[in-house]
Amino acid sequence: MRHWGRGLFIVWTLWRFGLDELVLSSVPTAWARMLAKLSRFGRRLDTPRAERMRLALEALGPIFVKFGQVLSTRRDLLPEDFAQELAKLQDRVPPFPSAQAVGIIERALGQGVDTLFATFEQNPVASASIAQVHFATLHDGREVAVKVLRPGMLSVIDDDLSLMRTMANWVQRWSVDGRRLKPREVVAEFDKYLHDELDLIREASNAAQLRRNMQALDLVMIPEMIWPLCRDNVLVMERMHGVPISQVQRLREAGVDVSQLARDGVTIFFTQVFRDGFFHADMHPGNIQVSLAPKTFGRYISLDFGIVGTLTPSDKDYLAQNFAAFFRRDYKRVAELHVESGWVPRDTRVDELEGAIRAVCEPYFDRPLKEISLGLVLMRLFQASRRFHVEIQPQLVLLQKTLLNIEGLGRDLDPELDLWSTAQPFLERWMKEQLGPQKLWEQLKNESPHLVKILPSLPRLLADHLQRPNEPGLQAMRELLLAQQRTQRLLVRGLLVLGGVLMGVVLVQVLTFWQAWP
């Protein structure tokens, strides 16, 4: 009954904000168009359609707000007005009662807050859709932040995700672009991210991994986790002191070089993505601060690690090659990489794809960030991708979202920032490292334990396989080995003949010299 009640509330909200008209207008049938016209009677829908969608998602609650935030990065799926409006979504969620938060902490940690902490601030300093944060002090004097998961979230999320899966099935069935845009996979990715956010132990481990990765870079600070006080619904971490990165004027007045700060942000992003394949994927201004302490002046402070992105080595390789080709304006190589990676059908004409990519990207090179929008470039690329049936990669949704976050931060800090020239040296250096002798040596060291185990048994395994008749591929292997053996015998014979000739020449020279001796 709860499921049906929630479904009815969602349907009523869609009707209230006129989104049923959008759904019906997207169905290419006469009866759907007629119903869309009839649905306007008795309602005033003067507000722009994109704004109505944003208001509807806010009315439906925090889960739909988060889904709208993720959806705003899929500019291949949305018209530009929807993408821009959904990008405005924020978690405007009131805090839950402090007494309830204290009860959750005490049940999770098995002690009262007065025993656990020297001081505990009852009023939360931040409240979001998933959790809220209280400041406290440990008995050893360390200042900490206590993050408490909002109660009852799991059942709400599971109900809403079930309905989202149903809607994704409808989109995939009725939308012309449904199969290419993979709405089911998008909801599945969203499901994974949300459940990851509900596990604060996972968030703490994400923070610990990022802290280790970034320790040598000396550009970003990540809070230390207080592991004895971390549970799946309570997280206690080092309290960080900084200025929100959105307060640019305050940073300038404090003496921070905001232009350098913008370049450092690009370096941090590309380091996490291409060096580590593990990046902070929720880099909106609310989660980024800047330290003004003398020892760490001008460093970034990262917060909230519930959402991180990961890339496989093949993802990193293809992305790095794409970026590097873009920087060189080698659009043919970009098109070839799309074919090689399977992102477009194998029979795609490379020259046509090359021309489409050139038409999108060429107008934006050599222009400062204030004159371009990565969102607009991505949107135009996605529009061009429809023609070539580009398969959208769900694992790259978070990367797109984070890249747009970086664009927004860079635009606020330094509108003159040239993102391309800032990133190009890093990527070129990274690619050289991937192909250089140092990387080869590291790979050999990593593989050496495995090689040591299989090398002694390799001759026996090879002999066993060669003795098995009629196995697929073995006949070709036997023929190859026989050809190699024949080549080796010919080579040995040639060397013996050459050696005999040389020995004959030497003998003749010795005899000649002996006869000439007085």
Side-chain angles (χ1 to χ4, degrees):
M1 290 299 295
R2 185 179 72 245
H3 187 87
W4 279 103
R6 179 63 171 165
L8 290 173
F9 176 74
I10 291 172
V11 170
W12 178 81
T13 303
L14 294 177
W15 182 87
R16 174 188 166 197
F17 289 96
L19 299 187
D20 57 314
E21 179 190 13
L22 297 177
V23 174
L24 291 171
S25 63
S26 67
V27 179
T29 59
W31 64 266
R33 288 194 295 270
M34 182 182 67
L35 284 177
K37 291 179 180 179
L38 291 174
S39 69
R40 295 186 66 88
F41 286 111
R43 291 187 294 175
R44 295 191 62 181
L45 303 175
D46 299 329
T47 308
R49 57 178 191 165
E51 184 178 349
R52 281 188 274 132
M53 174 172 275
R54 176 178 62 79
L55 293 172
L57 292 176
E58 288 179 346
L60 288 171
I63 306 307
F64 280 83
V65 168
K66 279 196 168 292
F67 185 69
Q69 291 173 340
V70 173
L71 199 62
S72 68
T73 67
R74 295 298 300 269
R75 294 172 184 263
D76 57 327
L77 184 60
L78 298 173
E80 179 62 12
D81 58 336
F82 280 87
Q84 295 292 347
E85 193 67 33
L86 293 182
K88 300 177 183 178
L89 285 171
Q90 299 294 330
D91 288 339
R92 303 186 186 96
V93 181
F96 57 90
S98 297
Q100 199 172 9
V102 169
I104 293 172
I105 294 169
E106 292 180 340
R107 285 192 296 273
L109 299 178
Q111 300 181 64
V113 292
D114 295 336
T115 304
L116 292 165
F117 307 104
T119 63
F120 182 86
E121 296 184 13
Q122 294 286 334
N123 294 327
V125 295
S127 178
S129 58
I130 299 295
Q132 69 185 35
V133 178
H134 297 257
F135 285 153
T137 307
L138 298 178
H139 290 289
D140 61 7
R142 285 182 292 172
E143 295 180 319
V144 294
V146 184
K147 187 171 184 177
V148 187
L149 197 68
R150 190 175 287 271
M153 288 301 296
L154 184 59
S155 60
V156 173
I157 284 176
D158 286 341
D159 285 348
D160 284 351
L161 283 172
S162 177
L163 291 169
M164 284 183 181
R165 291 188 196 98
T166 301
M167 288 187 281
N169 288 333
W170 291 346
V171 170
Q172 191 136 337
R173 178 176 298 177
W174 295 105
S175 172
V176 176
D177 282 339
R179 186 174 293 113
R180 186 183 70 86
L181 300 175
K182 302 182 180 179
R184 292 173 183 166
E185 287 85 344
V186 173
V187 174
E189 288 283 303
F190 184 59
D191 184 347
K192 182 175 76 71
Y193 302 143
L194 270 180
H195 280 89
D196 286 351
E197 279 196 274
L198 288 176
D199 185 353
L200 297 187
I201 288 289
R202 179 183 288 272
E203 177 176 344
S205 66
N206 291 340
Q209 182 66 52
L210 285 168
R211 182 181 170 92
R212 280 194 300 273
N213 291 348
M214 294 289 101
Q215 205 155 16
L217 194 60
D218 209 29
L219 293 178
V220 60
M221 301 165 59
I222 295 170
E224 180 184 1
M225 300 294 111
I226 313 300
W227 283 109
L229 300 180
C230 290
R231 301 292 186 273
D232 59 355
N233 60 346
V234 175
L235 186 155
V236 180
M237 59 184 160
E238 174 189 5
R239 178 178 174 180
M240 308 300 286
H241 296 272
V243 175
I245 200 167
S246 57
Q247 300 180 13
V248 180
Q249 186 58 37
R250 184 178 169 188
L251 293 173
R252 284 198 177 99
E253 291 172 354
V256 176
D257 185 347
V258 293
S259 297
Q260 183 60 47
L261 197 65
R263 292 191 293 272
D264 289 346
V266 176
T267 301
I268 291 167
F269 169 71
F270 280 96
T271 300
Q272 291 182 356
V273 169
F274 291 106
R275 189 194 68 183
D276 305 325
F278 189 86
F279 59 94
H280 188 196
D282 202 13
M283 295 180 67
H284 62 76
N287 289 338
I288 305 294
Q289 297 180 357
V290 179
S291 174
L292 299 183
K295 290 184 179 179
T296 57
F297 186 81
R299 288 194 205 173
Y300 279 84
I301 298 172
S302 290
L303 302 170
D304 195 347
F305 310 96
I307 302 178
V308 297
T310 58
L311 295 174
T312 65
S314 60
D315 287 334
K316 290 194 298 180
D317 181 59
Y318 275 114
L319 284 169
Q321 289 191 58
N322 268 286
F323 273 112
F326 270 123
F327 294 145
R328 296 193 306 269
R329 306 190 192 188
D330 186 355
Y331 304 115
K332 182 179 180 180
R333 182 56 184 154
V334 174
E336 290 172 345
L337 285 166
H338 275 66
V339 176
E340 291 172 10
S341 64
W343 293 357
V344 295
R346 290 286 177 184
D347 58 354
T348 300
R349 286 190 55 177
V350 172
D351 59 332
E352 291 183 356
L353 182 57
E354 174 192 356
I357 295 170
R358 181 186 296 108
V360 171
C361 298
E362 191 65 27
Y364 298 101
F365 275 99
D366 301 326
R367 294 167 64 181
L369 194 55
K370 68 179 179 182
E371 297 179 12
I372 65 173
S373 167
L374 288 178
L376 180 60
V377 175
L378 286 174
M379 183 197 71
R380 292 196 61 193
L381 279 173
F382 289 140
Q383 288 174 345
S385 73
R386 285 191 177 97
R387 174 185 167 193
F388 296 95
H389 308 289
V390 175
E391 289 284 337
I392 303 303
Q393 307 301 308
Q395 77 274 20
L396 302 183
V397 170
L398 279 182
L399 184 64
Q400 297 169 13
K401 172 181 179 291
T402 309
L403 186 57
L404 293 176
N405 289 148
I406 292 295
E407 178 200 18
L409 290 175
R411 192 185 303 278
D412 291 340
L413 293 171
D414 182 12
E416 301 294 334
L417 175 69
D418 186 344
L419 185 67
W420 317 115
S421 62
T422 305
Q424 183 177 1
F426 175 90
L427 278 175
E428 290 179 346
R429 184 173 63 253
W430 179 83
M431 291 185 69
K432 287 179 182 177
E433 291 172 354
Q434 298 307 299
L435 300 175
Q438 183 66 31
K439 183 68 176 181
L440 176 62
W441 176 242
E442 290 177 3
Q443 291 175 335
L444 288 174
K445 285 195 297 184
N446 292 335
E447 292 292 333
S448 58
H450 182 62
L451 292 173
V452 167
K453 291 174 66 175
I454 66 170
L455 277 176
S457 58
L458 189 59
R460 176 179 55 79
L461 293 173
L462 184 60
D464 290 344
H465 279 292
L466 292 176
Q467 290 172 2
R468 298 176 188 173
N470 301 324
E471 287 196 15
L474 290 182
Q475 184 61 35
M477 185 185 294
R478 281 194 289 269
E479 291 176 359
L480 178 62
L481 289 174
L482 290 173
Q484 290 177 342
Q485 291 174 357
R486 287 194 295 270
T487 303
Q488 290 172 354
R489 285 196 294 269
L490 288 173
L491 182 61
V492 170
R493 290 173 183 171
L495 289 174
L496 289 174
V497 171
L498 180 62
V501 171
L502 290 175
M503 288 181 64
V505 170
V506 171
L507 183 59
V508 169
Q509 292 291 333
V510 169
L511 290 175
T512 303
F513 178 76
W514 180 264
Q515 292 175 355
W517 187 263

